[in-house]
Amino acid sequence: MKKILLALSATFAVCLAVFAGTNMCVKKQNGDILRINVDDVYEVYFEDIFNPDTSSIIPPFIEPTVADTSAYAPLIFEITSDSTAELTYGNYRDLDSVNIPAKVKIDEKIYDVTTIGSEAFYGCSSLTSITIPESVTSIGSEAFYDCDLLKPQLLVYDNGTKCYGWIGNKDSCISVVIPESVTEIGYDAFWGCRSLASITIPESVTSIGSEAFYDCSSLTSITIPKSVTSIGSSAFMSCSSLT
């Protein structure tokens, strides 16, 4: 009788071991079922498995007007708000041509490129051409300093209301006519244009930034219209030919 009781006790213990806890069941595509005791589970998560067969990977769709930062390497962009980005200083000195996108995709989000940062292309002596989109409304000081191979041009932005100044070989900057739409001549706009002999400022201009004509040593005269109500510090410093 004692032996029978011992046998029953052993069977009951086995049953407890089998039925204790709750199983989490995972059914595979081939029909196999994996059972895991819930009491043993610490964390449940999904893991992406790398597929070496790249032919089955479909690249993400990118709108034609939207640039992924990698597509414009080595241009560097920095997020400035929830919807805008700035092109910042980087190692661009070996570039001979730059096409700045109007929009850029960073971490799957689209931003408008509205700013070219200070000294962004400083010292890019190999740069011969650059395309700036209309989305740009701000260009930092000395953004194109020492870019002497750029096609000489007067740079006007912010919907045509702000004149940043002359970019390219400053020796070619002899005479400048600022467009009638411009209301502001920016900081450092014509800094170091030592060949600049004459400039026409329209009545639309209301402010001239600090050091705007700094070291324009060939400038002999300048007419400032009555519309100008603000002139920044050192705007005409080192203009040694001015009387």
Side-chain angles (χ1 to χ4, degrees), residues 132-134 136-139 144 153-167 176-186 190:
I132 300 172
E134 292 183 359
V136 171
T137 58
S138 177
I139 299 176
F144 300 97
Q153 59 181 302
L154 182 67
L155 188 59
V156 179
Y157 65 99
D158 202 356
N159 297 321
T161 64
K162 190 170 183 179
C163 170
Y164 175 72
W166 191 266
I167 63 171
V176 170
V177 176
I178 296 176
E180 291 287 344
S181 60
V182 171
T183 59
E184 180 181 354
I185 297 175
F190 296 94

Side-chain angles (χ1 to χ4, degrees), residues 48 65-66 79 89 95 99 125 147 154 158 169 172 199 219 230 236 242:
D48 292 328
T65 56
V66 177
I79 297 171
Y89 176 83
L95 299 180
N99 179 21
S125 55
C147 297
L154 182 67
D158 202 356
N169 187 350
S172 300
I199 186 165
L219 195 62
S230 173
F236 299 96
L242 278 179

Side-chain angles (χ1 to χ4, degrees), residues 4 15 17 32 34 44 72 74 98 123 132 139 155 160-162 192 198 214 224 226 236:
I4 293 173
C15 288
D32 292 344
L34 302 178
V44 177
Y72 283 83
V98 170
I132 300 172
I139 299 176
L155 188 59
T161 64
K162 190 170 183 179
S198 67
Y214 187 100
I224 301 173
K226 293 179 180 180
F236 299 96

Side-chain angles (χ1 to χ4, degrees), residues 92-93 95-100 116 120-132 139 142-155 164-173:
Y92 312 137
R93 297 192 176 186
L95 299 180
D96 56 12
S97 178
V98 170
N99 179 21
I100 300 174
I116 297 174
F121 294 95
Y122 189 105
C124 291
S125 55
S126 298
L127 195 60
T128 58
S129 68
I130 188 164
T131 301
I132 300 172
I139 299 176
E142 301 183 358
F144 300 97
Y145 182 81
D146 202 23
C147 297
D148 289 342
L149 293 184
L150 275 179
K151 178 183 177 181
Q153 59 181 302
L154 182 67
L155 188 59
Y164 175 72
W166 191 266
I167 63 171
N169 187 350
K170 291 184 176 181
D171 290 337
S172 300
C173 182

Side-chain angles (χ1 to χ4, degrees), residues 50-229:
F50 173 70
N51 183 0
D53 183 10
T54 55
S55 62
S56 65
I57 299 175
I58 301 175
F61 172 74
I62 298 178
E63 298 175 41
T65 56
V66 177
D68 191 308
T69 53
S70 61
Y72 283 83
L75 297 183
I76 299 172
F77 298 89
E78 187 175 285
I79 297 171
T80 52
S81 77
D82 289 340
S83 59
T84 61
E86 172 183 317
L87 190 155
T88 62
Y89 176 83
N91 185 20
Y92 312 137
R93 297 192 176 186
D94 293 331
L95 299 180
D96 56 12
S97 178
V98 170
N99 179 21
I100 300 174
K103 296 178 182 290
V104 67
K105 182 178 285 185
I106 304 173
D107 295 332
E108 299 306 314
K109 186 172 179 179
I110 300 168
Y111 298 87
D112 294 318
V113 179
T114 60
T115 307
I116 297 174
S118 298
E119 302 182 2
F121 294 95
Y122 189 105
C124 291
S125 55
S126 298
L127 195 60
T128 58
S129 68
I130 188 164
T131 301
I132 300 172
E134 292 183 359
S135 61
V136 171
T137 58
S138 177
I139 299 176
S141 63
E142 301 183 358
F144 300 97
Y145 182 81
D146 202 23
C147 297
D148 289 342
L149 293 184
L150 275 179
K151 178 183 177 181
Q153 59 181 302
L154 182 67
L155 188 59
V156 179
Y157 65 99
D158 202 356
N159 297 321
T161 64
K162 190 170 183 179
C163 170
Y164 175 72
W166 191 266
I167 63 171
N169 187 350
K170 291 184 176 181
D171 290 337
S172 300
C173 182
I174 298 173
S175 179
V176 170
V177 176
I178 296 176
E180 291 287 344
S181 60
V182 171
T183 59
E184 180 181 354
I185 297 175
Y187 167 74
D188 265 6
F190 296 94
W191 188 93
C193 288
R194 297 185 182 91
S195 299
L196 181 63
S198 67
I199 186 165
T200 302
I201 302 176
E203 292 284 345
S204 58
V205 173
T206 59
S207 67
I208 297 174
S210 299
E211 302 182 5
F213 296 95
Y214 187 100
D215 200 22
C216 291
S217 54
S218 296
L219 195 62
T220 57
S221 67
I222 186 168
T223 301
I224 301 173
K226 293 179 180 180
S227 58
V228 174
T229 58

